[in-house]
Amino acid sequence: MELSVLNIKGEDTGRKVTLSDAVFGVEPNEHAMYLDVKQYLANQRQGTHKSKERNEVAGSTKKIKKQKGTGGARAGSLKAPLFVGGGRVFGPKPRNYSFKLNKKLKEVARVSALSLLAKDNKVSLLESFTFESPKTKEFKDILSNLQVSGKTLLVLPAVDKNVVLSGRNLNKLKISTASDLNTYDLLNTDRVLLVEDSVNIIENLLRA
């Protein structure tokens, strides 16, 4: 698959880059993508939820009424779950939601996501660029020149502080480096802008 390299004005530079079929042209594995996204979202969970059971609720331990003769059900404690302010039965407890996935499976998932985007013509190549200082307005102009709308993922070969600072206030833009790409970000976007130098890094990481 060949893609033309665009400059920041949205013009064709005349250069073309051939994308590896081993990374951008495979049959997508939906289950691998599902598992990788599931793991990513599970890892975002803090798992700090907690409710008090009857032995943890603050309150009197005095028996609230006599055992017999009231005409109602017996009751021994205000902390019982059937009373307002009492403990909760089988409530949530702090836990770790993360789980392990094999490295190879995660690579299959990322390759599948990249191939899916390439198949739908949602991948564009951009020549390398930077800013002398953080300029959100200039970044917005670049996206406008590229006719980008909707969620956009910009993939850099390495962290560029001025580019990151310029784009972080644009709410539909996500900036990532080639080595930090993940399946969730790839599937949660309408367009992927690959900076030219990032292609080799992605292919070397995922073609092994």
Side-chain angles (χ1 to χ4, degrees), residues 40-86:
Y40 176 88
L41 293 175
N43 289 345
Q44 306 305 304
R45 298 186 69 170
Q46 288 183 314
T48 53
H49 40 46
K50 175 76 173 73
S51 66
K52 289 185 178 181
E53 296 184 353
R54 63 184 295 167
N55 66 320
E56 298 169 313
V57 174
S60 172
T61 56
K62 179 183 177 183
K63 186 170 174 64
I64 58 176
K65 62 179 182 180
K66 63 182 183 177
Q67 178 80 348
K68 291 178 171 292
T70 62
R74 56 195 173 183
S77 171
L78 270 174
K79 298 191 283 184
L82 69 162
F83 293 117
V84 174

mmCIF file of all heavy atoms in Angstrom, residues 40-86:
data_model
loop_
_atom_site.group_PDB
_atom_site.id
_atom_site.type_symbol
_atom_site.label_atom_id
_atom_site.label_comp_id
_atom_site.label_asym_id
_atom_site.label_seq_id
_atom_site.Cartn_x
_atom_site.Cartn_y
_atom_site.Cartn_z
ATOM 1 N N TYR A 40 -7.205 -2.419 28.323
ATOM 2 C CA TYR A 40 -6.854 -0.998 28.446
ATOM 3 C C TYR A 40 -7.859 -0.280 29.362
ATOM 4 O O TYR A 40 -7.470 0.469 30.263
ATOM 5 C CB TYR A 40 -6.849 -0.347 27.061
ATOM 6 C CG TYR A 40 -6.591 1.143 27.076
ATOM 7 C CD1 TYR A 40 -5.294 1.656 27.036
ATOM 8 C CD2 TYR A 40 -7.643 2.062 27.141
ATOM 9 C CE1 TYR A 40 -5.052 3.022 27.065
ATOM 10 C CE2 TYR A 40 -7.416 3.429 27.168
ATOM 11 C CZ TYR A 40 -6.122 3.898 27.127
ATOM 12 O OH TYR A 40 -5.893 5.249 27.169
ATOM 13 N N LEU A 41 -9.163 -0.530 29.131
ATOM 14 C CA LEU A 41 -10.190 0.137 29.930
ATOM 15 C C LEU A 41 -10.193 -0.377 31.372
ATOM 16 O O LEU A 41 -10.420 0.387 32.312
ATOM 17 C CB LEU A 41 -11.565 -0.076 29.292
ATOM 18 C CG LEU A 41 -11.765 0.612 27.935
ATOM 19 C CD1 LEU A 41 -13.116 0.230 27.335
ATOM 20 C CD2 LEU A 41 -11.660 2.125 28.060
ATOM 21 N N ALA A 42 -9.926 -1.673 31.541
ATOM 22 C CA ALA A 42 -9.864 -2.235 32.894
ATOM 23 C C ALA A 42 -8.716 -1.617 33.675
ATOM 24 O O ALA A 42 -8.832 -1.349 34.881
ATOM 25 C CB ALA A 42 -9.699 -3.753 32.823
ATOM 26 N N ASN A 43 -7.599 -1.363 32.994
ATOM 27 C CA ASN A 43 -6.431 -0.778 33.657
ATOM 28 C C ASN A 43 -6.655 0.674 34.063
ATOM 29 O O ASN A 43 -5.927 1.210 34.910
ATOM 30 C CB ASN A 43 -5.197 -0.879 32.761
ATOM 31 C CG ASN A 43 -4.698 -2.297 32.623
ATOM 32 O OD1 ASN A 43 -5.079 -3.175 33.394
ATOM 33 N ND2 ASN A 43 -3.858 -2.544 31.635
ATOM 34 N N GLN A 44 -7.654 1.329 33.443
ATOM 35 C CA GLN A 44 -7.955 2.721 33.808
ATOM 36 C C GLN A 44 -8.755 2.805 35.113
ATOM 37 O O GLN A 44 -8.832 3.855 35.738
ATOM 38 C CB GLN A 44 -8.772 3.413 32.699
ATOM 39 C CG GLN A 44 -8.169 3.360 31.311
ATOM 40 C CD GLN A 44 -6.764 3.891 31.248
ATOM 41 O OE1 GLN A 44 -6.497 5.014 31.629
ATOM 42 N NE2 GLN A 44 -5.837 3.066 30.765
ATOM 43 N N ARG A 45 -9.355 1.688 35.505
ATOM 44 C CA ARG A 45 -10.218 1.697 36.691
ATOM 45 C C ARG A 45 -9.382 1.745 37.962
ATOM 46 O O ARG A 45 -8.411 1.001 38.119
ATOM 47 C CB ARG A 45 -11.125 0.462 36.709
ATOM 48 C CG ARG A 45 -12.060 0.390 35.525
ATOM 49 C CD ARG A 45 -13.033 -0.763 35.660
ATOM 50 N NE ARG A 45 -13.988 -0.536 36.733
ATOM 51 C CZ ARG A 45 -15.067 -1.295 36.934
ATOM 52 N NH1 ARG A 45 -15.301 -2.327 36.141
ATOM 53 N NH2 ARG A 45 -15.894 -1.046 37.934
ATOM 54 N N GLN A 46 -9.777 2.621 38.892
ATOM 55 C CA GLN A 46 -9.043 2.741 40.150
ATOM 56 C C GLN A 46 -9.376 1.597 41.102
ATOM 57 O O GLN A 46 -8.545 1.178 41.896
ATOM 58 C CB GLN A 46 -9.351 4.070 40.821
ATOM 59 C CG GLN A 46 -8.732 5.267 40.112
ATOM 60 C CD GLN A 46 -8.997 6.546 40.863
ATOM 61 O OE1 GLN A 46 -10.118 6.808 41.285
ATOM 62 N NE2 GLN A 46 -7.975 7.353 41.037
ATOM 63 N N GLY A 47 -10.616 1.119 41.021
ATOM 64 C CA GLY A 47 -11.019 0.012 41.885
ATOM 65 C C GLY A 47 -11.068 0.376 43.354
ATOM 66 O O GLY A 47 -10.885 -0.470 44.228
ATOM 67 N N THR A 48 -11.337 1.655 43.661
ATOM 68 C CA THR A 48 -11.346 2.095 45.063
ATOM 69 C C THR A 48 -12.758 2.129 45.652
ATOM 70 O O THR A 48 -12.964 2.687 46.724
ATOM 71 C CB THR A 48 -10.722 3.500 45.184
ATOM 72 O OG1 THR A 48 -11.390 4.385 44.270
ATOM 73 C CG2 THR A 48 -9.247 3.479 44.854
ATOM 74 N N HIS A 49 -13.734 1.550 44.960
ATOM 75 C CA HIS A 49 -15.116 1.550 45.456
ATOM 76 C C HIS A 49 -15.210 0.742 46.752
ATOM 77 O O HIS A 49 -14.564 -0.286 46.931
ATOM 78 C CB HIS A 49 -16.064 0.971 44.407
ATOM 79 C CG HIS A 49 -15.518 -0.208 43.666
ATOM 80 N ND1 HIS A 49 -14.885 -1.258 44.297
ATOM 81 C CD2 HIS A 49 -15.487 -0.503 42.353
ATOM 82 C CE1 HIS A 49 -14.513 -2.150 43.413
ATOM 83 N NE2 HIS A 49 -14.851 -1.709 42.208
ATOM 84 N N LYS A 50 -16.038 1.229 47.671
ATOM 85 C CA LYS A 50 -16.165 0.569 48.971
ATOM 86 C C LYS A 50 -17.459 0.995 49.640
ATOM 87 O O LYS A 50 -17.820 2.169 49.640
ATOM 88 C CB LYS A 50 -14.982 0.964 49.864
ATOM 89 C CG LYS A 50 -15.051 0.435 51.295
ATOM 90 C CD LYS A 50 -14.715 -1.042 51.345
ATOM 91 C CE LYS A 50 -14.616 -1.560 52.778
ATOM 92 N NZ LYS A 50 -15.938 -1.686 53.423
ATOM 93 N N SER A 51 -18.196 0.031 50.177
ATOM 94 C CA SER A 51 -19.345 0.352 51.025
ATOM 95 C C SER A 51 -19.176 -0.402 52.347
ATOM 96 O O SER A 51 -18.492 -1.434 52.408
ATOM 97 C CB SER A 51 -20.657 -0.044 50.351
ATOM 98 O OG SER A 51 -20.740 -1.446 50.217
ATOM 99 N N LYS A 52 -19.833 0.080 53.396
ATOM 100 C CA LYS A 52 -19.651 -0.518 54.729
ATOM 101 C C LYS A 52 -20.635 -1.668 54.947
ATOM 102 O O LYS A 52 -21.819 -1.560 54.649
ATOM 103 C CB LYS A 52 -19.851 0.551 55.808
ATOM 104 C CG LYS A 52 -18.734 1.576 55.870
ATOM 105 C CD LYS A 52 -18.924 2.529 57.027
ATOM 106 C CE LYS A 52 -17.760 3.526 57.108
ATOM 107 N NZ LYS A 52 -17.918 4.439 58.250
ATOM 108 N N GLU A 53 -20.110 -2.752 55.480
ATOM 109 C CA GLU A 53 -20.965 -3.856 55.891
ATOM 110 C C GLU A 53 -21.401 -3.617 57.339
ATOM 111 O O GLU A 53 -20.926 -2.684 57.993
ATOM 112 C CB GLU A 53 -20.206 -5.174 55.734
ATOM 113 C CG GLU A 53 -19.870 -5.459 54.271
ATOM 114 C CD GLU A 53 -19.208 -6.811 54.064
ATOM 115 O OE1 GLU A 53 -18.891 -7.485 55.075
ATOM 116 O OE2 GLU A 53 -19.009 -7.182 52.900
ATOM 117 N N ARG A 54 -22.273 -4.461 57.843
ATOM 118 C CA ARG A 54 -22.886 -4.175 59.158
ATOM 119 C C ARG A 54 -21.867 -4.098 60.286
ATOM 120 O O ARG A 54 -22.062 -3.364 61.254
ATOM 121 C CB ARG A 54 -23.995 -5.184 59.475
ATOM 122 C CG ARG A 54 -23.536 -6.613 59.606
ATOM 123 C CD ARG A 54 -24.735 -7.524 59.829
ATOM 124 N NE ARG A 54 -25.403 -7.243 61.100
ATOM 125 C CZ ARG A 54 -26.608 -7.712 61.419
ATOM 126 N NH1 ARG A 54 -27.279 -8.459 60.560
ATOM 127 N NH2 ARG A 54 -27.146 -7.443 62.590
ATOM 128 N N ASN A 55 -20.771 -4.838 60.172
ATOM 129 C CA ASN A 55 -19.771 -4.792 61.238
ATOM 130 C C ASN A 55 -18.892 -3.544 61.168
ATOM 131 O O ASN A 55 -18.119 -3.281 62.082
ATOM 132 C CB ASN A 55 -18.892 -6.043 61.189
ATOM 133 C CG ASN A 55 -18.041 -6.101 59.932
ATOM 134 O OD1 ASN A 55 -18.514 -5.755 58.857
ATOM 135 N ND2 ASN A 55 -16.801 -6.523 60.051
ATOM 136 N N GLU A 56 -19.007 -2.757 60.067
ATOM 137 C CA GLU A 56 -18.177 -1.556 59.901
ATOM 138 C C GLU A 56 -18.949 -0.262 60.165
ATOM 139 O O GLU A 56 -18.358 0.809 60.286
ATOM 140 C CB GLU A 56 -17.604 -1.509 58.480
ATOM 141 C CG GLU A 56 -16.692 -2.681 58.154
ATOM 142 C CD GLU A 56 -16.342 -2.755 56.682
ATOM 143 O OE1 GLU A 56 -17.264 -2.641 55.845
ATOM 144 O OE2 GLU A 56 -15.150 -2.930 56.369
ATOM 145 N N VAL A 57 -20.287 -0.362 60.227
ATOM 146 C CA VAL A 57 -21.108 0.834 60.436
ATOM 147 C C VAL A 57 -21.001 1.290 61.893
ATOM 148 O O VAL A 57 -21.049 0.470 62.816
ATOM 149 C CB VAL A 57 -22.588 0.539 60.095
ATOM 150 C CG1 VAL A 57 -23.465 1.735 60.441
ATOM 151 C CG2 VAL A 57 -22.730 0.197 58.626
ATOM 152 N N ALA A 58 -20.843 2.614 62.096
ATOM 153 C CA ALA A 58 -20.788 3.176 63.443
ATOM 154 C C ALA A 58 -22.200 3.234 64.016
ATOM 155 O O ALA A 58 -23.135 3.681 63.346
ATOM 156 C CB ALA A 58 -20.163 4.566 63.420
ATOM 157 N N GLY A 59 -22.379 2.763 65.232
ATOM 158 C CA GLY A 59 -23.709 2.816 65.845
ATOM 159 C C GLY A 59 -23.763 1.948 67.083
ATOM 160 O O GLY A 59 -22.833 1.205 67.403
ATOM 161 N N SER A 60 -24.877 2.026 67.773
ATOM 162 C CA SER A 60 -25.054 1.285 69.020
ATOM 163 C C SER A 60 -25.223 -0.205 68.745
ATOM 164 O O SER A 60 -25.789 -0.605 67.726
ATOM 165 C CB SER A 60 -26.283 1.812 69.761
ATOM 166 O OG SER A 60 -26.573 0.993 70.882
ATOM 167 N N THR A 61 -24.761 -1.005 69.669
ATOM 168 C CA THR A 61 -24.951 -2.455 69.571
ATOM 169 C C THR A 61 -26.121 -2.908 70.461
ATOM 170 O O THR A 61 -26.369 -4.107 70.599
ATOM 171 C CB THR A 61 -23.671 -3.195 69.999
ATOM 172 O OG1 THR A 61 -23.314 -2.788 71.327
ATOM 173 C CG2 THR A 61 -22.523 -2.884 69.049
ATOM 174 N N LYS A 62 -26.810 -1.943 71.041
ATOM 175 C CA LYS A 62 -27.923 -2.271 71.927
ATOM 176 C C LYS A 62 -29.066 -2.897 71.135
ATOM 177 O O LYS A 62 -29.369 -2.468 70.017
ATOM 178 C CB LYS A 62 -28.404 -0.996 72.618
ATOM 179 C CG LYS A 62 -29.585 -1.205 73.560
ATOM 180 C CD LYS A 62 -30.046 0.127 74.132
ATOM 181 C CE LYS A 62 -31.286 -0.063 75.013
ATOM 182 N NZ LYS A 62 -31.792 1.230 75.514
ATOM 183 N N LYS A 63 -29.708 -3.905 71.709
ATOM 184 C CA LYS A 63 -30.881 -4.497 71.061
ATOM 185 C C LYS A 63 -31.991 -3.457 71.051
ATOM 186 O O LYS A 63 -32.319 -2.858 72.078
ATOM 187 C CB LYS A 63 -31.308 -5.752 71.834
ATOM 188 C CG LYS A 63 -32.431 -6.534 71.159
ATOM 189 C CD LYS A 63 -32.625 -7.874 71.841
ATOM 190 C CE LYS A 63 -33.842 -8.627 71.297
ATOM 191 N NZ LYS A 63 -33.701 -8.997 69.870
ATOM 192 N N ILE A 64 -32.591 -3.216 69.856
ATOM 193 C CA ILE A 64 -33.468 -2.038 69.703
ATOM 194 C C ILE A 64 -34.884 -2.258 70.242
ATOM 195 O O ILE A 64 -35.609 -1.304 70.483
ATOM 196 C CB ILE A 64 -33.538 -1.585 68.228
ATOM 197 C CG1 ILE A 64 -34.030 -2.718 67.339
ATOM 198 C CG2 ILE A 64 -32.193 -1.087 67.753
ATOM 199 C CD1 ILE A 64 -34.211 -2.303 65.884
ATOM 200 N N LYS A 65 -35.313 -3.491 70.425
ATOM 201 C CA LYS A 65 -36.619 -3.769 71.042
ATOM 202 C C LYS A 65 -36.592 -5.183 71.607
ATOM 203 O O LYS A 65 -35.723 -5.990 71.256
ATOM 204 C CB LYS A 65 -37.742 -3.606 70.022
ATOM 205 C CG LYS A 65 -37.692 -4.551 68.835
ATOM 206 C CD LYS A 65 -38.877 -4.300 67.913
ATOM 207 C CE LYS A 65 -38.848 -5.290 66.738
ATOM 208 N NZ LYS A 65 -39.960 -5.079 65.823
ATOM 209 N N LYS A 66 -37.546 -5.459 72.436
ATOM 210 C CA LYS A 66 -37.542 -6.779 73.049
ATOM 211 C C LYS A 66 -37.792 -7.865 72.008
ATOM 212 O O LYS A 66 -38.369 -7.612 70.943
ATOM 213 C CB LYS A 66 -38.570 -6.844 74.175
ATOM 214 C CG LYS A 66 -40.021 -6.648 73.736
ATOM 215 C CD LYS A 66 -40.935 -6.695 74.962
ATOM 216 C CE LYS A 66 -42.416 -6.574 74.524
ATOM 217 N NZ LYS A 66 -43.344 -6.675 75.675
ATOM 218 N N GLN A 67 -37.357 -9.061 72.328
ATOM 219 C CA GLN A 67 -37.389 -10.157 71.371
ATOM 220 C C GLN A 67 -38.828 -10.560 71.011
ATOM 221 O O GLN A 67 -39.129 -10.808 69.849
ATOM 222 C CB GLN A 67 -36.642 -11.361 71.952
ATOM 223 C CG GLN A 67 -36.624 -12.605 71.076
ATOM 224 C CD GLN A 67 -35.591 -12.535 69.965
ATOM 225 O OE1 GLN A 67 -35.037 -11.464 69.711
ATOM 226 N NE2 GLN A 67 -35.355 -13.647 69.295
ATOM 227 N N LYS A 68 -39.721 -10.604 72.016
ATOM 228 C CA LYS A 68 -41.088 -11.112 71.776
ATOM 229 C C LYS A 68 -42.139 -10.099 72.206
ATOM 230 O O LYS A 68 -41.863 -9.172 72.944
ATOM 231 C CB LYS A 68 -41.293 -12.421 72.551
ATOM 232 C CG LYS A 68 -40.492 -13.604 72.038
ATOM 233 C CD LYS A 68 -40.743 -14.821 72.908
ATOM 234 C CE LYS A 68 -40.115 -16.071 72.284
ATOM 235 N NZ LYS A 68 -40.795 -16.474 71.049
ATOM 236 N N GLY A 69 -43.318 -10.265 71.678
ATOM 237 C CA GLY A 69 -44.459 -9.505 72.170
ATOM 238 C C GLY A 69 -44.739 -8.205 71.458
ATOM 239 O O GLY A 69 -45.678 -7.488 71.811
ATOM 240 N N THR A 70 -43.962 -7.830 70.436
ATOM 241 C CA THR A 70 -44.192 -6.557 69.745
ATOM 242 C C THR A 70 -45.106 -6.721 68.534
ATOM 243 O O THR A 70 -45.568 -5.744 67.960
ATOM 244 C CB THR A 70 -42.869 -5.948 69.267
ATOM 245 O OG1 THR A 70 -42.257 -6.831 68.333
ATOM 246 C CG2 THR A 70 -41.916 -5.727 70.436
ATOM 247 N N GLY A 71 -45.308 -7.950 68.118
ATOM 248 C CA GLY A 71 -46.132 -8.177 66.923
ATOM 249 C C GLY A 71 -45.367 -8.051 65.631
ATOM 250 O O GLY A 71 -45.909 -8.310 64.553
ATOM 251 N N GLY A 72 -44.112 -7.651 65.708
ATOM 252 C CA GLY A 72 -43.282 -7.500 64.505
ATOM 253 C C GLY A 72 -42.142 -8.499 64.501
ATOM 254 O O GLY A 72 -42.010 -9.318 65.412
ATOM 255 N N ALA A 73 -41.341 -8.402 63.470
ATOM 256 C CA ALA A 73 -40.187 -9.305 63.372
ATOM 257 C C ALA A 73 -39.147 -8.932 64.424
ATOM 258 O O ALA A 73 -39.025 -7.767 64.825
ATOM 259 C CB ALA A 73 -39.570 -9.225 61.988
ATOM 260 N N ARG A 74 -38.400 -9.929 64.876
ATOM 261 C CA ARG A 74 -37.361 -9.672 65.863
ATOM 262 C C ARG A 74 -36.238 -8.837 65.226
ATOM 263 O O ARG A 74 -35.984 -8.942 64.033
ATOM 264 C CB ARG A 74 -36.813 -10.998 66.395
ATOM 265 C CG ARG A 74 -36.300 -11.924 65.342
ATOM 266 C CD ARG A 74 -36.115 -13.328 65.867
ATOM 267 N NE ARG A 74 -35.780 -14.245 64.777
ATOM 268 C CZ ARG A 74 -35.616 -15.543 64.954
ATOM 269 N NH1 ARG A 74 -35.781 -16.083 66.155
ATOM 270 N NH2 ARG A 74 -35.311 -16.317 63.943
ATOM 271 N N ALA A 75 -35.622 -7.998 66.008
ATOM 272 C CA ALA A 75 -34.528 -7.150 65.509
ATOM 273 C C ALA A 75 -33.490 -6.995 66.606
ATOM 274 O O ALA A 75 -33.832 -6.676 67.749
ATOM 275 C CB ALA A 75 -35.061 -5.794 65.079
ATOM 276 N N GLY A 76 -32.236 -7.200 66.228
ATOM 277 C CA GLY A 76 -31.187 -7.151 67.241
ATOM 278 C C GLY A 76 -30.285 -5.936 67.127
ATOM 279 O O GLY A 76 -29.634 -5.536 68.094
ATOM 280 N N SER A 77 -30.210 -5.304 65.943
ATOM 281 C CA SER A 77 -29.237 -4.217 65.772
ATOM 282 C C SER A 77 -29.717 -3.221 64.723
ATOM 283 O O SER A 77 -30.281 -3.605 63.687
ATOM 284 C CB SER A 77 -27.888 -4.782 65.345
ATOM 285 O OG SER A 77 -27.003 -3.753 64.984
ATOM 286 N N LEU A 78 -29.479 -1.938 64.988
ATOM 287 C CA LEU A 78 -29.806 -0.886 64.010
ATOM 288 C C LEU A 78 -28.877 -0.949 62.807
ATOM 289 O O LEU A 78 -29.144 -0.341 61.776
ATOM 290 C CB LEU A 78 -29.676 0.498 64.671
ATOM 291 C CG LEU A 78 -30.933 1.059 65.342
ATOM 292 C CD1 LEU A 78 -30.596 2.342 66.074
ATOM 293 C CD2 LEU A 78 -32.042 1.306 64.323
ATOM 294 N N LYS A 79 -27.774 -1.692 62.969
ATOM 295 C CA LYS A 79 -26.797 -1.768 61.883
ATOM 296 C C LYS A 79 -27.138 -2.873 60.880
ATOM 297 O O LYS A 79 -26.405 -3.086 59.913
ATOM 298 C CB LYS A 79 -25.393 -1.995 62.458
ATOM 299 C CG LYS A 79 -24.940 -0.849 63.358
ATOM 300 C CD LYS A 79 -23.470 -0.944 63.701
ATOM 301 C CE LYS A 79 -23.216 -1.987 64.775
ATOM 302 N NZ LYS A 79 -21.786 -2.002 65.179
ATOM 303 N N ALA A 80 -28.245 -3.549 61.086
ATOM 304 C CA ALA A 80 -28.672 -4.607 60.165
ATOM 305 C C ALA A 80 -29.032 -3.992 58.796
ATOM 306 O O ALA A 80 -29.519 -2.856 58.723
ATOM 307 C CB ALA A 80 -29.868 -5.342 60.736
ATOM 308 N N PRO A 81 -28.808 -4.715 57.717
ATOM 309 C CA PRO A 81 -29.021 -4.174 56.360
ATOM 310 C C PRO A 81 -30.449 -3.724 56.057
ATOM 311 O O PRO A 81 -30.652 -2.912 55.166
ATOM 312 C CB PRO A 81 -28.628 -5.352 55.457
ATOM 313 C CG PRO A 81 -27.725 -6.187 56.281
ATOM 314 C CD PRO A 81 -28.221 -6.064 57.678
ATOM 315 N N LEU A 82 -31.465 -4.237 56.802
ATOM 316 C CA LEU A 82 -32.836 -3.859 56.467
ATOM 317 C C LEU A 82 -33.233 -2.496 57.027
ATOM 318 O O LEU A 82 -34.288 -1.972 56.695
ATOM 319 C CB LEU A 82 -33.824 -4.931 56.932
ATOM 320 C CG LEU A 82 -34.037 -5.114 58.445
ATOM 321 C CD1 LEU A 82 -35.355 -5.884 58.666
ATOM 322 C CD2 LEU A 82 -32.918 -5.873 59.090
ATOM 323 N N PHE A 83 -32.374 -1.880 57.862
ATOM 324 C CA PHE A 83 -32.673 -0.559 58.394
ATOM 325 C C PHE A 83 -31.927 0.534 57.624
ATOM 326 O O PHE A 83 -30.793 0.325 57.172
ATOM 327 C CB PHE A 83 -32.298 -0.476 59.878
ATOM 328 C CG PHE A 83 -33.143 -1.344 60.770
ATOM 329 C CD1 PHE A 83 -32.568 -2.372 61.495
ATOM 330 C CD2 PHE A 83 -34.513 -1.136 60.874
ATOM 331 C CE1 PHE A 83 -33.343 -3.180 62.317
ATOM 332 C CE2 PHE A 83 -35.305 -1.937 61.686
ATOM 333 C CZ PHE A 83 -34.716 -2.966 62.406
ATOM 334 N N VAL A 84 -32.599 1.698 57.505
ATOM 335 C CA VAL A 84 -31.938 2.843 56.880
ATOM 336 C C VAL A 84 -30.712 3.223 57.712
ATOM 337 O O VAL A 84 -30.804 3.349 58.938
ATOM 338 C CB VAL A 84 -32.897 4.053 56.791
ATOM 339 C CG1 VAL A 84 -32.141 5.285 56.282
ATOM 340 C CG2 VAL A 84 -34.071 3.745 55.891
ATOM 341 N N GLY A 85 -29.560 3.373 57.026
ATOM 342 C CA GLY A 85 -28.325 3.679 57.744
ATOM 343 C C GLY A 85 -27.573 2.449 58.190
ATOM 344 O O GLY A 85 -26.494 2.551 58.774
ATOM 345 N N GLY A 86 -28.153 1.282 57.907
ATOM 346 C CA GLY A 86 -27.475 0.047 58.268
ATOM 347 C C GLY A 86 -26.421 -0.335 57.235
ATOM 348 O O GLY A 86 -26.221 0.366 56.233
#
